Amino acid sequence: MALSSNPRILICTSYRRFRDDFLDYVGENVYLKPRVSLKRKQSPALRFLKRNVPELEILEYPLWRDYVKKLKEGWDVVGFSFFQNEIAEVFEMVREARRHGVKEIWAGGYGALDEAVPREVDRVFTGASEDAVAQVFGKRVTDVLHPSIIWPMDFIPGNIPYLRMGILYTERGCPYKCTFCQTPSYDKVRFNVNIDSIERVLREYSRTGVTDVLVLDELFGISPGFADRLTLLLARYKLRWWAQSRAALFMRHLDTWHERGLRFPLIGVEAMSQSSLDSIDKKQRIEEIVEFERRTSEKKAMYRMVYYMIGYESQDARTLWDDVRALKSVGFDAFQVNVITPFPQTPLWSETESRYGIRDKFYRHYDAKHLVWNHPHISPAEMHYLLRLAISYLNNPFDIYARGFARLVKERFTAEGLRFVWRDIIRTPFESMVRNLMEQGK
Ligand code: SF4
């Protein structure tokens, strides 16, 4: 179907099934309360599209009734950006859009790599889509601009504001090819986001009381020149930053990046057995993981978090637990634990499908917290139990609060004194609360 040169386009995320149905990055991995939460209330994909193609409208995590109300405004195109575990909800939204007379449906995001998606929609976008969408309006986006994106970090229960986390996503793609990861199939073209627009965003974050920035790049620092300019900017605006990368890359730049504000490095440890690491083509040695822990432990006020997976094909319950214990003994501060999951268009998907069979067709289970394939030694129920046990053991309250956060607070207080008390304990929570109230009042 040919669109007009100025079509009405609405891009949505999947809908929220209930009011507080936001992905909480902390809640997935820490069971106890009180704790902090970090909720994905704004969608980076949608914010990037809107920033670069202002002609379209976006709708982030609406409740169902708000989505239907929006559909009634009449649209030429309704598009969706989503993950694998959100496909069922998105298909419901697609059917509703068609019922409202929408003629063209688009899909993008990692979820659009699933083979069922092209049958339900009219156009599938893979990877960064700012330029492809702009072309519908007769324009090109050759230099992607960065939008402002904020996620709240609150204390729960009670959703008491603690800070507003500034989000950056500065570089797309990754040159590695870990077999479980969709990034190599999804982001085939690697590029950096416009650095001047990043500076504008950082200036705004700093001006509005943001103290911490989470960089979502899959592999922070893979372009050394760009990372140098970016880390200088983060330092100029006196922001503490969180970033995910590989142990070897962090170690190469640790002194400089720590000086420039790196305080929360995240690495993909994935496994403590070299054969498991090799089986997913991680190209990482156990010695690097241990060395990374040692070197970062010598840096003041640093909190080290790791991604880790259980359920490799060679593991049974006992060897799985041995691996968890080996990880704990290394000494990191906090852990995101996942069950190894085959996702569409990854080498792991085809290997698992042909060797064992992928049993679970329930999309919600593709959240990396469920066993979705026929594991040779562990059942889904056992895996569920082992996952909960591993999370409780690795992220136990004493270690993450009494040991980890207490050390952090002590080191920050020693380094910054009353400035720390003013900025982190008084001003930031107060500003977050005020801005929350202002946003609710809009
Ligand atoms: S897991 Fe990380 S390093 Fe491996 S391919 Fe994915 S983004 Fe790259």
Side-chain angles (χ1 to χ4, degrees):
M1 186 192 73
L3 290 170
S4 74
S5 59
N6 192 20
R8 281 177 53 74
I9 298 180
L10 175 68
I11 309 287
C12 309
T13 58
S14 77
Y15 74 93
R16 261 181 299 150
R17 297 158 299 168
F18 47 90
R19 186 157 288 283
D20 204 30
D21 187 18
F22 293 104
L23 176 64
D24 174 2
Y25 288 97
V26 181
E28 279 193 315
N29 290 284
V30 182
Y31 294 143
L32 78 149
K33 291 179 186 163
R35 61 171 173 82
V36 291
S37 67
L38 180 63
K39 290 182 185 161
R40 186 188 58 187
K41 289 195 170 180
Q42 296 182 347
S43 155
L46 267 56
R47 294 277 160 155
F48 265 95
L49 279 172
K50 180 68 183 168
R51 175 74 179 87
N52 289 279
V53 192
E55 293 86 349
L56 51 78
E57 276 203 42
I58 60 171
L59 187 63
E60 295 165 296
Y61 311 108
L63 289 169
W64 181 260
R65 63 170 179 269
D66 297 328
Y67 170 63
V68 174
K69 194 169 152 203
K70 197 75 185 166
L71 285 179
K72 290 186 196 305
E73 293 176 15
W75 301 93
D76 298 310
V77 176
V78 174
F80 300 92
S81 175
F82 53 98
F83 290 91
Q84 185 77 12
N85 61 331
E86 298 164 331
I87 290 178
E89 284 76 20
V90 166
F91 283 177
E92 266 182 82
M93 296 171 86
V94 168
R95 287 192 288 276
E96 190 65 19
R98 297 229 192 260
R99 259 200 296 277
H100 279 76
V102 177
K103 292 286 184 304
E104 187 158 330
I105 303 286
W106 292 352
Y110 283 88
L113 295 176
D114 189 87
E115 62 176 10
V117 171
R119 293 196 292 271
E120 298 289 326
V121 307
D122 304 293
R123 186 168 174 189
V124 175
F125 294 81
T126 304
S129 304
E130 289 82 3
D131 184 41
V133 173
Q135 287 180 43
V136 173
F137 294 95
K139 308 188 331 184
R140 299 299 304 259
V141 174
T142 50
D143 199 12
V144 172
L145 303 178
H146 204 297
S148 162
I149 308 164
I150 299 284
W151 291 347
M153 184 175 261
D154 298 334
F155 286 112
I156 56 170
N159 288 327
I160 301 158
Y162 170 48
L163 58 80
R164 297 161 62 250
M165 179 74 80
I167 302 298
L168 281 190
Y169 190 19
T170 71
E171 179 158 11
R172 310 284 173 84
C174 172
Y176 288 88
K177 297 207 175 333
C178 307
T179 64
F180 63 93
C181 178
Q182 286 180 299
T183 297
S185 312
Y186 181 71
D187 273 320
K188 292 204 172 76
V189 182
R190 287 177 52 207
F191 68 90
N192 299 121
V193 173
N194 176 287
I195 192 86
D196 296 328
S197 70
I198 294 174
E199 175 160 18
R200 279 195 292 278
V201 166
L202 291 180
R203 199 181 306 130
E204 184 191 328
Y205 287 168
S206 168
R207 187 180 58 76
T208 56
V210 168
T211 52
D212 289 63
V213 168
L214 168 61
V215 189
L216 295 178
D217 302 14
E218 280 80 9
L219 197 52
F220 183 83
I222 191 66
S223 308
F226 184 79
D228 191 52
R229 294 174 70 190
L230 180 59
T231 53
L232 278 169
L233 285 177
L234 287 158
R236 181 185 307 164
Y237 290 99
K238 297 189 169 45
L239 293 158
R240 273 192 301 257
W241 44 285
W242 312 41
Q244 49 189 4
S245 191
R246 297 172 69 90
L249 259 173
F250 273 129
M251 285 195 285
R252 198 174 307 152
H253 302 283
L254 191 61
D255 294 340
T256 311
W257 289 356
H258 182 256
E259 257 171 45
R260 295 179 184 177
L262 172 66
R263 290 296 178 271
F264 294 84
L266 294 102
I267 61 163
V269 166
E270 317 303 3
M272 286 303 292
S273 127
Q274 191 62 53
S275 61
S276 296
L277 281 180
D278 295 344
S279 75
I280 54 169
D281 209 10
K282 184 71 189 176
K283 299 201 173 10
Q284 179 166 270
R285 288 176 296 106
I286 299 294
E287 299 80 52
E288 288 175 301
I289 296 167
V290 175
E291 178 64 3
F292 168 81
E293 195 287 330
R294 187 191 67 72
R295 288 197 45 203
T296 48
S297 71
E298 292 167 354
K299 294 289 180 201
K300 289 277 180 260
M302 206 171 234
Y303 196 79
R304 296 86 36 82
M305 295 169 286
V306 302
Y307 298 114
Y308 174 68
M309 296 193 295
I310 59 172
Y312 292 84
E313 63 177 291
S314 61
Q315 288 179 330
D316 57 22
R318 190 184 57 76
T319 52
L320 182 156
W321 193 249
D322 289 345
D323 204 77
V324 171
R325 287 167 58 114
L327 175 63
K328 179 82 171 177
S329 70
V330 180
F332 292 109
D333 298 304
F335 306 83
Q336 184 186 89
V337 188
N338 289 332
V339 176
I340 190 164
T341 303
F343 283 98
Q345 299 196 27
T346 61
L348 185 64
W349 174 277
S350 25
E351 278 162 30
T352 310
E353 178 78 305
S354 64
R355 295 190 63 189
Y356 300 106
I358 295 173
R359 64 193 296 164
D360 196 334
K361 304 293 179 205
F362 187 55
Y363 289 118
R364 275 264 150 205
H365 285 174
Y366 286 76
D367 58 355
K369 301 293 180 196
H370 293 81
L371 179 64
V372 297
W373 54 285
N374 295 312
H375 195 285
H377 311 296
I378 303 174
S379 71
E382 280 174 316
M383 192 65 83
H384 184 68
Y385 174 74
L386 288 164
L387 176 71
R388 291 191 71 84
L389 205 61
I391 289 176
S392 307
Y393 173 66
L394 291 168
N395 289 330
N396 83 50
F398 179 77
D399 290 340
I400 59 175
Y401 290 123
R403 204 166 63 91
F405 280 125
R407 174 180 56 76
L408 210 61
V409 168
K410 190 170 148 225
E411 288 175 356
R412 279 190 194 168
F413 183 73
T414 311
E416 300 177 42
L418 288 178
R419 182 170 180 272
F420 163 73
V421 175
W422 164 242
R423 183 169 94 152
D424 290 66
I425 301 184
I426 301 173
R427 196 190 73 183
T428 302
F430 181 73
E431 278 190 358
S432 300
M433 189 175 66
V434 170
R435 285 188 183 275
N436 260 15
L437 289 172
M438 281 162 55
E439 274 156 27
Q440 280 164 19
K442 271 183 192 167

